[in-house]
Every structure is written in structure tokens, then in C-alpha cells.
Amino acid sequence: MARAMPELQLAISDFLLKLQRRQIEGSFDSAKHTVLLLRQVIVQHRASHSGQASSFIDAVKTVGARLVAASPIELAVGNVVRRVLHIIREEEVSIANNTEDEGETTFDSDDNNNSDDDGLPVLSAAVLAAANRNVLRAPSLHNLLESAVIPAVAIVSSSSAGDSEERSRSSEKNSKGWKLKHSIIEGINELLEDINNNHAQIAEQALEHIHQNEVILTLGHSRTLLQFLREAKKKRSFEVFVAEGAPRYLGHTLAKELAALNLQTTLITDSAVFAMMSRVDMVIIGAHAVMANGGVIAPTGLHMVALAARRHAVPFVVLAGMYKLCPLYPHNPYVLVNEMKSLSQILEHEESMEYIDAALNVPDLLAMNPSFDYIPPELVSLFITDMGGHNPSYIYRLVAEYYSPEDHSLE
Amino acid sequence: MAEQARMKAYYEHRAGHRALPDSASSAVTNEWLAQAEAALANEEPALPSNGSSSFSVIQEFNIWRSNPELAESVAAIKALTAVIRRSEAATMMGLEKELKIASDALKAWDETSISLSAGCDLFMRYVTRTSALEYEDIEAGKARLIERGERFGDISLKARKTIAMIGQDFIRDGCTILIHGFSRVVLSILKLAAANKKQFSVICTEGRPDSTGVEMAKEMVELDVPVTLIIDSAVAYTMQSVDMLLIGADGVVESGGIINMIGTYQAAMIARSMNKPVYVAAESYKFARMYPLDQKDMSPSPRNVYFQKSLPSAVQVECSARDYTPPQYLTLLFTDLGVLTPSAVSDELIQLYL
């Protein structure tokens, strides 16, 4: 298969390299590129006739696992891979349901000998359809007692349905496969559109949250936040404190961008956050990722900001597109792997060389530059996503809606 | 790699945990109405057999309960299954009625047991929801119910396995776990973690008045896990060196809080005030439709409390054996439905009972 489509392999290895070299960084860019690549994977994939959906799933999983391994800290990559897997599973079920329905009606009209087969196939087809409807549902109390019986029913019904359908199925096969692929690609396009529009969707809600003459505090830079404030500025006048976000100082960029919108902007140092907090009405930040328990992965310094906000009872609001929602719990050390950035942002190489230990030949002066903080869910007041505002304790529900539990581990 | 393989096994296992038809959506049919009418007509002759079945159901329950591997709710469901098998009801409505009487008898027999009533409610709900609407033939319906009831023991064992798989991910090398009281689920998590060569140590509370913590400590010795036994009043003293509190539950209530052995509330409060995570391991059939607002909202379940010194008779002894821990003190629940936040519990219960 690798020989059959060299251009796809080329695209994959190119993207892998960019992820490894951190040439693609940030959850938005990496998510978007991942969707584009996975769409290419689906388009070029020639599914074998048996178990089409599963062959798509395998193809996406193999590529997905490589992408995640290339840059584990970009959680959005894994999220998007899982979203695409969920789309495939959903489309499979909806197509299976449709054909079951069509199947029943066509049997009566053009297949007379089928009626001799007694009522069993019809009954089991209905049961199968119902089972399919529930395939994507997470296990729940609701179906606890029913769970064990499905495999048996599914096997019985598929074999009995298989006999009567055999002839029609082989001819339908191609059109059905095409339909599946087509609807998967459509689903992926929708996902891509959602990712592209997420800033605008989140910004739309700005007026509900920002009121006249409020003081907003933030740290560092976030594209989502910039659009959010820009949208609010159209109707309201308010003031923004921007902490600079050492050592990358992206806060400077944001402050200039906001000032260019004629917003009253004040730049403060990171260490001044607590001192200024008593005057602040709301803290708004952009997240790197949101974990399944409602915890947030965000640039360093934000945990301290969250604690300062809690001390002064200031609402701490997190903006995050749905693609940043990660279905994993932060117990997993792989997930909490932090990215250590270049030391030169803090300490020049020459400077540290001045403090070399003569005996051991190692510098006595070291520097550390982690890029992310984990903010526990208790400190977050509200998430604003492209699907609306959510409490941290509601995040588990969104996870159940957008991901299939069997995709949580990509292996 | 081994970690990933385990994760995969777990999710495949969960994928196996799938559902059948959602019959709550199907409408009331004519057959169903006919059965309801027939049941009303049969009311008189059905009564005498009810008396005998409610008598035997408690015996049956006690037989099942004597098996140490079976949880109380599983025993309840097994006992109700036996009622179905013995039933001579000719209609689904009649059968339901008999079951209702039997389950009420079971619940009345031990009003303090939350898992018993949760198990009865779950099974009754299943009976009313599925059978009457789906099976026109009473014998087929009965057979299906009996089969489900029989399998419930397996479902329960499977649930414990799932929870062990989820829970052990939270146990890291070098961590110290505080355990209050004895719990089969907690034990299965620790067994799996120990089998996966995780290095951790355990602190067990004594767990008065039943001293169940001592049992737990014995089990830990068998697992070769370093274990320390403390008296119940030393929880705050040891909390500093603890990384997480891991507890089982008698019942999980609608608020997402839990009802468990006495002392759980204070242990959870201390853990919370020292910012240690509080994890609860509980099978989903322990979810109960209750909403206690405070400790006095539950019927007390008294136990004998022994004091070393003899007491003047004027001294009253508080002898309740369990307490209610509100959800704000709990971090996460490990259940066979996955890792849940306390607020997810009411969601599950609403899905089932609405």
C-alpha cells in the first residue's frame, strides 16, 4: 500500500518532521494540519470489501499513532484523530441503519421466497438496527443488564440476514462503500469548518460575558482571546490588563494588538498579577488543552494567575475550541509531559559559561523553561467553547458526546 | 508498551459493554394493555402465592449472600431471579406484581442496606422497562429475565475487573495510598496494580466498629505491599505523607456523594483540606436513588461498639456504622461506566429512571 500512494506517504512524513521539529506549533495549527492530512488518508484509502469502516479506522489509527508520538505535547493532534475515528464509527452506524430499513421494504416487494423464512429475519433485523443505534453509546446504568447478550444476537441476526441479502448485497457493495467514504469525508469537512470557525463562534458569545467598564486581566497571547475582545469592543468599552508572559513575552504582542483596536490596555509584569487582581472583574485566558476532568493545560504562569483570582473571588474564564478537548485524565504521565523550551530565552549561553565549575566542567548556573501549567478544575469558573459555556464538571459529558470510548487509547 | 496493551484491553472490554434496544422509546402496545387487563382480572388468585414467595425470597437472598465473592446487590438480583423462576403468573403484569412484592419484602427486611435497595430497584426497572413491552409471550419474557438475572453475577465480576483496570492507572510508582475500611473493589484495584509491579505503600485505618481495616491490612500483606495500620483518629496525623485517599462505597447517591463506613466523611474532609485527591471505587449498580441532605437523612445502621472501660449507664453511645460524604469532598469516581466526576452520577441515574 505504501508503494501505491507515494505522495500520501510523502505528506505524512513531511508533517511528522514538521511536528518533531516544532515547525508546526500551537493547538490550532496542528489540529488543522492533522485534519487535512487525515482527509487525504481517507480519500486515498482503498477499503477492502469486508469490514470497510474498520479498514478506514485502522488506516487512521496507524497514521494517528505516529502523529501523536511525533509531538505528544500537542494534544490537539490526538484529539482530532479521535474525532475523525468517531466520525467514521458514526457514519458506519447510520449507513447500516439506513440499509436495514431499505432492506426490509425491498424484501417484501421483489423477493417472494423470503416470506417462507418465517418472521425471524425481520425481527432480528429490527433488533440489529436497534443494537446499531446503541453501538456508539457509552456503557451506562441504563444498559447495564442488557450488555452481555448483544454479541449472540448480533451474530444470529447477521447470519440470518446474510442469507437472504447475499445477492443484493454484492451488487450494492460498491455503492455502499462509496457512500461510506463520501459521508466520512463530508464529516471531516464539517470538522475542519468547525476548527476554522471556532474563534468566531467563541467570539460571538463575548457580549454575554463582558460588560461595560469592566476590567479584564489576561496573560500571554491567544488568538481566540484577541477575537473575543475584538468582538466585545464593538459594543462595550472596557479595560484590559495584560501580563507579559515571560520568558516569551507574547503579552507584549497582545497588548499592542489590543491598543491598535483602541482598547484601553495596560501592560503589567507577571509578578504584578496579584497586586492588580483586586481591581479586576474577570480573568480570561486561552487554553492549550482541556482534560476530561475539566483541568486545563495552559502556558506557564497561569496557575498562579488562577490562584490569585480565586483569592480575590474573581471569575476565571477559559476560552477553548472543541478540538482542544482531550478525552484523557491527567493521571497519565504521558499526558502531563511538559515541553522544555530553549534555555536561551532566559539565560544567554555565554552568561552561563561564566559560571563553569572548574573541577567537573559543568555550569553551576542552570535554567529551566517549562512551557505549560496544569490548572485543576476547581480553579476554573467557566469554559467558553464554540458549543457554548460549560461548567468544568460538565466536561465529561462533552467528552462522551464527541469521542468513542474505544478510541481513547490510540494503539 | 505494556501500559498501552492494557489500556487497549480495557477499552475493548468497555466496547464489549454494549447495549440492546432502547425500549423506553417504544410506545405502549395493545398487547401490553391486554396484559394489564388480564393481570387485574387475575388479582385474586395471585395473592396466596405472593405470601409464600416473599417468605422464600429472603431465604434465597441469604443463601446467595453467604458467598463472600458476591456483593449484596448481586445477591438481591439472584434472589429476585429465583422469584421469577418459581412464579406461576400468566401475564407480565402479574409477574411484575409478584416481583414488586418480593422486592419490597427484601428491602423491608434490611432497610439500612443501600446496595440491597439499589440492586432491587435496578432489576425492577429492567423488568418494567424491557419485558412487558418487548415480549408478547410470557414464557419467552420470563426466560429472558431469568437469563439476565443469572448473568448478573458475571456482570458484577466484569464490573470489578473494569474498575481495577481504570483505577490502577491512577496509582503511580512511589505513592502512598490511604484506605478506609474494607472494599472488594479497592482490593481488586490494588491487586492489579501490585500484579503490574507498581511500587506503592498503603496505610489502612482500623475501621471501627467492625475493624474491617484489619482485614484489608492482612490482604495487603498477602500482596507484599508495605502496609501501616493506624487508628481511626490518626487520619489527620498521617495525611501529610499520603498521596491519595482511595475508598469503596456502600452506595453512591444522586448528588454524587457516597454512603460508606463511618469515618469516610472525616477522612475525605481531611484529605480535601490538605489537597489530596479522594478517589471512590464503586460498581454502577450501587448507584441509588437517594438524595440525603445530611447525616440524619438516612436510616441509621447501628452496630455494637465496644469500649475497653466499662461505661456508666447514663452515657449514650453513638453507634451508627456509616456516614454520608457530600460530593464536594470527592475528586473522581472509578466505576464500570468509566471515570466519572461526582456530577456525572445523577446524569446516569436520570437516564435510567426518567
Side-chain angles (χ1 to χ4, degrees):
Chain A
M1 209 180 287
R3 273 164 274 119
M5 32 187 133
E7 70 276 21
L8 176 61
Q9 291 306 320
L10 217 63
I12 292 173
S13 52
D14 181 49
F15 185 47
L16 279 175
L17 217 60
K18 279 184 176 160
L19 277 176
Q20 278 162 351
R21 291 178 178 161
R22 306 293 188 262
Q23 282 167 338
I24 293 178
E25 257 194 323
S27 39
F28 180 74
D29 288 337
S30 43
K32 206 170 141 180
H33 281 95
T34 310
V35 179
L36 290 172
L37 185 71
L38 291 180
R39 186 173 65 181
Q40 216 174 331
V41 169
I42 296 284
V43 168
Q44 306 230 356
H45 185 72
R46 278 192 204 90
S48 54
H49 279 296
S50 58
Q52 291 198 312
S54 66
S55 87
F56 281 124
I57 286 171
D58 288 344
V60 171
K61 265 195 178 171
T62 352
V63 177
R66 288 170 68 195
L67 296 182
V68 170
S71 181
I73 194 63
E74 292 297 351
L75 292 166
V77 172
N79 299 344
V80 165
V81 172
R82 293 183 186 100
R83 285 284 289 274
V84 169
L85 290 172
H86 186 66
I87 289 170
I88 299 174
R89 288 179 205 277
E90 259 181 348
E91 294 304 339
E92 182 195 14
V93 169
S94 76
I95 284 184
N97 275 345
N98 286 342
T99 47
E100 282 307 331
D101 293 347
E102 285 163 20
E104 263 174 59
T105 50
T106 49
F107 286 156
D108 294 338
S109 54
D110 66 2
D111 220 343
N112 288 331
N113 53 352
N114 188 56
S115 52
D116 308 340
D117 288 350
D118 73 53
L120 187 68
V122 179
L123 174 77
S124 59
V127 172
L128 182 67
N132 276 337
R133 221 182 303 127
N134 282 325
V135 157
L136 288 175
R137 263 212 341 233
S140 75
L141 258 188
H142 195 61
N143 52 36
L144 185 67
L145 273 164
E146 293 162 354
S147 51
V149 86
I150 295 132
V153 170
I155 288 162
V156 167
S157 53
S158 62
S159 63
S160 60
D163 293 340
S164 47
E165 257 184 305
E166 198 120 47
R167 284 172 296 125
S168 53
R169 209 170 246 185
S170 53
S171 61
E172 265 173 32
K173 203 90 204 184
N174 285 329
S175 73
K176 220 165 94 184
W178 179 83
K179 214 160 125 195
L180 178 65
K181 194 169 181 174
H182 182 76
S183 45
I184 291 172
I185 290 169
E186 221 156 71
I188 294 179
N189 285 339
E190 270 168 37
L191 176 62
L192 187 63
E193 212 171 298
D194 282 349
I195 293 175
N196 279 329
N197 291 340
N198 88 88
H199 297 318
Q201 294 270 343
I202 292 172
E204 259 177 36
Q205 305 164 58
L207 288 176
E208 294 170 30
H209 299 282
I210 296 180
H211 306 105
Q212 193 71 15
N213 296 328
E214 270 190 340
V215 180
I216 313 286
L217 185 141
T218 189
L219 181 145
H221 185 273
S222 151
R223 245 180 292 193
T224 326
L225 181 63
L226 178 63
Q227 277 218 30
F228 193 79
L229 296 178
R230 185 190 288 148
E231 198 63 34
K233 174 70 178 95
K234 288 181 183 164
K235 290 263 176 68
R236 309 253 198 276
S237 77
F238 52 96
E239 203 180 324
V240 185
F241 290 163
V242 183
E244 54 187 1
R248 292 209 267 175
Y249 301 109
L250 292 174
H252 292 253
T253 324
L254 181 70
K256 283 172 197 158
E257 283 166 343
L258 290 176
L261 297 172
N262 292 328
L263 252 171
Q264 179 71 53
T265 312
T266 312
L267 193 63
I268 57 173
T269 59
D270 296 344
S271 45
V273 165
F274 193 88
M276 305 301 282
M277 193 58 85
S278 58
R279 306 183 207 178
V280 171
D281 292 309
M282 181 156 53
V283 177
I284 310 180
I285 64 152
H288 176 71
V290 178
M291 309 308 291
N293 64 342
V296 179
I297 310 265
T300 38
L302 279 166
H303 193 159
M304 292 202 299
V305 175
L307 287 169
R310 170 52 49 92
R311 174 66 181 74
H312 287 280
V314 173
F316 186 84
V317 177
V318 177
L319 308 181
M322 285 308 299
Y323 65 93
K324 290 182 178 176
L325 179 64
C326 179
L328 304 173
Y329 283 85
H331 65 82
N332 195 337
Y334 297 112
V335 172
L336 273 188
V337 162
N338 213 330
E339 179 109 306
M340 292 297 167
K341 288 281 177 196
S342 159
L343 304 185
S344 61
Q345 286 177 336
I346 306 176
L347 192 66
E348 288 304 327
H349 183 61
E350 293 77 30
E351 256 182 293
S352 71
M353 287 320 236
E354 287 172 24
Y355 300 95
I356 290 275
D357 187 312
L360 297 168
N361 201 28
V362 289
D364 278 330
L365 180 61
L366 297 172
M368 282 269 248
N369 187 9
S371 39
F372 295 111
D373 262 356
Y374 168 69
I375 305 168
E378 301 90 82
L379 295 178
V380 180
S381 313
L382 183 72
F383 285 104
I384 301 178
T385 72
D386 36 339
M387 304 306 292
H390 300 292
N391 206 43
S393 66
Y394 188 76
I395 295 296
Y396 79 94
R397 197 77 218 119
L398 296 175
V399 169
E401 206 167 303
Y402 287 98
Y403 299 99
S404 306
E406 54 268 59
D407 297 331
H408 288 185
S409 87
L410 292 171
E411 182 50 46
Chain B
M1 211 54 212
E3 165 105 18
Q4 281 165 339
R6 264 200 321 281
M7 285 289 282
K8 196 181 172 204
Y10 156 57
Y11 285 115
E12 275 172 3
H13 171 75
R14 266 187 64 176
H17 233 246
R18 291 286 162 223
L20 254 192
D22 182 4
S23 58
S25 58
S26 52
V28 174
T29 59
N30 285 332
E31 291 91 328
W32 191 83
L33 286 173
Q35 280 177 11
E37 274 170 29
L40 280 178
N42 282 347
E43 197 164 18
E44 289 309 313
L47 272 174
S49 70
N50 286 337
S52 64
S53 75
S54 68
F55 171 68
S56 68
V57 75
I58 288 163
Q59 275 186 335
E60 186 79 32
F61 171 68
N62 279 322
I63 294 168
W64 285 112
R65 206 173 57 144
S66 56
N67 181 345
E69 271 303 297
L70 282 188
E72 213 165 48
S73 26
V74 181
I77 288 178
K78 294 261 189 191
L80 290 179
T81 313
V83 172
I84 299 179
R85 197 176 291 122
R86 206 160 304 159
S87 162
E88 282 153 15
T91 63
M92 263 341 223
M93 282 299 275
L95 181 64
E96 248 173 65
K97 234 175 149 225
E98 266 181 51
L99 274 176
K100 179 89 180 61
I101 289 164
S103 101
D104 284 348
L106 259 184
K107 281 200 247 176
W109 181 72
D110 184 2
E111 276 185 350
T112 62
S113 170
I114 286 128
S115 50
L116 172 62
S117 70
C120 287
D121 284 348
L122 180 67
F123 193 66
M124 285 306 291
R125 185 66 193 167
Y126 175 69
V127 172
T128 45
R129 210 160 41 91
T130 351
S131 52
L133 300 172
E134 230 169 73
Y135 293 90
E136 294 108 65
D137 179 18
I138 168 93
E139 285 311 319
K142 257 192 192 170
R144 169 81 190 278
L145 286 177
I146 290 169
E147 190 236 343
R148 306 282 64 221
E150 305 261 278
R151 282 210 198 181
F152 195 75
D154 301 339
I155 293 178
S156 142
L157 285 182
K158 205 165 128 191
R160 219 173 285 161
K161 252 186 225 158
T162 315
I163 296 170
M165 254 186 255
I166 314 178
Q168 66 104 25
D169 284 339
F170 285 79
I171 296 177
R172 295 172 310 253
D173 274 333
C175 69
T176 305
I177 306 166
L178 179 67
I179 293 170
H180 182 67
F182 184 90
S183 154
R184 276 174 288 240
V185 202
V186 168
L187 183 60
S188 70
I189 293 177
L190 296 177
K191 267 186 183 161
L192 186 63
N196 288 331
K197 304 253 179 340
K198 298 213 178 177
Q199 301 290 325
F200 59 96
S201 59
V202 169
I203 298 175
C204 289
T205 59
E206 183 193 7
R208 290 247 285 161
D210 295 338
S211 296
T212 47
V214 179
E215 297 300 311
M216 200 67 181
K218 280 183 196 159
E219 295 280 355
M220 290 302 107
V221 172
E222 267 174 39
L223 292 180
D224 275 334
V225 171
V227 59
T228 314
L229 194 64
I230 60 169
I231 52 175
D232 294 333
S233 43
V235 170
Y237 174 79
T238 41
M239 192 56 81
Q240 200 182 10
S241 58
V242 165
D243 291 308
M244 67 174 85
L245 176 61
L246 181 59
I247 41 185
D250 284 353
V252 182
V253 297
E254 257 182 285
S255 61
I258 57 164
I259 292 171
N260 197 27
M261 206 187 90
I262 197 142
T264 306
Y265 186 22
Q266 63 193 31
M269 265 176 137
I270 293 166
R272 205 55 173 169
S273 73
M274 296 205 187
N275 277 326
K276 312 287 182 184
V278 179
Y279 297 131
V280 177
E283 298 96 331
S284 60
Y285 54 74
K286 284 181 178 163
F287 289 13
R289 285 185 83 193
M290 299 174 68
Y291 206 114
L293 296 173
D294 61 24
Q295 304 301 327
K296 304 289 172 197
D297 264 1
M298 305 167 294
S299 52
S301 106
R303 292 278 197 293
N304 279 331
V305 186
Y306 294 105
F307 293 93
Q308 284 175 338
K309 297 207 170 121
S310 62
L311 295 172
S313 58
V315 176
Q316 289 184 2
V317 174
E318 172 61 64
C319 55
S320 177
R322 57 164 190 227
D323 57 22
Y324 163 61
T325 309
Q328 65 263 36
Y329 298 105
L330 311 176
T331 312
L332 289 172
L333 295 120
F334 307 152
T335 76
D336 46 318
L337 313 176
V339 180
L340 302 181
T341 52
S343 52
V345 172
S346 59
D347 221 55
E348 289 294 338
L349 281 167
I350 288 168
Q351 263 186 44
L352 179 66
Y353 289 105
L354 200 68

